[in-house]
Amino acid sequence: MCYKPGHFICSQHDLNIQLKLLLNKRITDMAIKIRGITMNIIQKAKQYTPIAILLLFSIGMIFLFYNSFAGDTTNIPYATKAQLADEATARTATDTALQNLVNNNALPPLPAERFQATLTLCGNSDTPQWGPCHYTVGDTGPAGGKVFYTTDGGLHGLEAAPVDQLDAFWGCDGVAITGADGTAVGAGVTDTADILVGCDQTNIAAKIADDYTLNDYNDWFLPSIDELQLLYQHEHIDGGFAFGPYWSSTESDSTNAITLDHGKPLINEKGSTFRVRAIRAF
């Protein structure tokens, strides 16, 4: 054969001839086998004559299919020398272009595993990096908020809106909202969803947080009481807290919900108007 993996040891013309010979041999072998089966059927029983005719017709179609490739090897499903050379040239050009960007400090150094690397522009840096973003508390988050909690080595966490939203009441005073009693970090998103399902009033704290948008990110929610306390511990990074209570998404009972006032959880009536600070998970 002319071809070894990664190397050609004969001319393109010789390669085309060998490809045609290989295809011709396979078709000829197939035709001989089909012809033998056909003759055997004809000899055994005349009632199989229509089947034999069909098989002979198939042989003719196979040869017709082969002849359609005669003189035109571009349709043969094998990589040609030119195609492989073009791919190698493209890879070399890409590597050269990337290395030039690295040399000009436009990109970070190339990673060892280039086929699995993704170039990412993270919210905490103006310089792109290879691979996923890792955040620390105090960084600007993916949406442009301030990161106040991280997990999984900074791959995930919570960021807070840089400013307060509108003041609002909690809503649905006298109605117990099923499921909106989560307190832990991670509960705010489900609390907010439960409030929006169980309370159809407009301009409530959960709705204002849910409607908040920053840099095209619209997946914000009202924090649970533990999330709100965690945010308060890092208030210096997000513009601080104003004077007075902030609503959490954590309901106390049918007429009350929990607020945070200067770091202290307090139970307040749902009909009271307090501040709202939206957060989101990443």
Side-chain angles (χ1 to χ4, degrees):
M1 291 297 292
C2 291
Y3 177 72
K4 293 181 180 178
H7 301 280
F8 285 89
I9 57 176
C10 64
S11 67
Q12 181 67 53
H13 176 70
D14 292 337
L15 175 63
N16 292 342
I17 293 176
Q18 291 207 22
L19 289 173
K20 290 174 63 178
L21 289 175
L22 177 61
L23 183 59
N24 184 34
K25 183 178 183 304
R26 290 180 178 176
I27 294 175
T28 302
D29 292 343
M30 185 186 301
I32 292 173
K33 291 180 181 179
I34 295 175
R35 183 171 59 188
I37 295 172
T38 302
M39 295 304 297
N40 188 41
I41 293 174
I42 294 175
Q43 291 175 358
K44 287 185 177 180
K46 290 184 179 180
Q47 61 266 34
Y48 290 102
T49 299
I51 298 176
I53 293 174
L54 179 61
L55 290 173
L56 289 172
F57 175 76
S58 299
I59 296 172
M61 292 302 295
I62 291 172
F63 278 108
L64 180 63
F65 175 77
Y66 163 72
N67 288 333
S68 68
F69 286 103
D72 181 13
T73 60
T74 59
N75 293 323
I76 298 177
Y78 289 92
T80 65
K81 180 179 180 180
Q83 289 173 325
L84 293 176
D86 288 344
E87 291 176 4
T89 300
R91 285 195 298 270
T92 300
T94 300
D95 285 346
T96 301
L98 287 173
Q99 190 59 56
N100 287 337
L101 290 172
V102 172
N103 295 339
N104 293 327
N105 296 320
L107 290 179
L110 297 176
E113 298 295 332
R114 301 183 193 179
F115 295 105
Q116 299 179 2
T118 301
L119 189 62
T120 311
L121 183 61
C122 301
N124 56 356
S125 175
D126 293 330
T127 303
Q129 67 179 47
W130 298 105
C133 301
H134 293 262
Y135 294 91
T136 60
V137 172
D139 284 345
T140 298
K146 289 298 183 180
V147 176
F148 66 96
Y149 173 76
T150 60
T151 185
D152 300 325
L155 285 173
H156 305 289
L158 297 171
E159 63 178 317
V163 296
D164 290 343
Q165 285 65 66
L166 297 174
D167 292 356
F169 57 97
W170 201 91
C172 287
D173 190 8
V175 178
I177 305 299
T178 302
D181 56 357
T183 62
V185 173
V189 63
T190 54
D191 282 350
T192 301
D194 290 333
I195 294 169
L196 296 178
V197 170
C199 183
D200 59 1
Q201 292 180 334
T202 59
N203 297 323
I204 60 176
K207 179 63 174 172
I208 290 174
D210 181 71
D211 286 344
Y212 181 66
T213 299
L214 180 64
N215 296 324
D216 295 326
Y217 286 83
N218 58 6
D219 53 348
W220 301 82
F221 52 89
L222 192 64
S224 69
I225 186 58
D226 286 0
E227 290 168 338
L228 196 57
Q229 283 185 297
L230 194 60
L231 175 58
Y232 182 80
Q233 294 172 12
H234 301 287
E235 64 171 328
H236 61 283
I237 66 174
D238 60 4
F241 276 62
F243 179 80
Y246 281 74
W247 279 122
S248 78
S249 59
T250 305
E251 185 183 54
S252 177
D253 53 49
S254 62
T255 59
N256 297 288
I258 304 177
T259 61
L260 190 74
D261 189 0
H262 288 82
K264 296 180 180 180
L266 299 174
I267 294 177
N268 280 284
E269 293 183 354
K270 292 180 177 180
S272 301
T273 299
F274 296 126
R275 296 184 180 276
V276 173
R277 179 69 66 92
I279 68 172
R280 67 177 295 274
F282 62 87

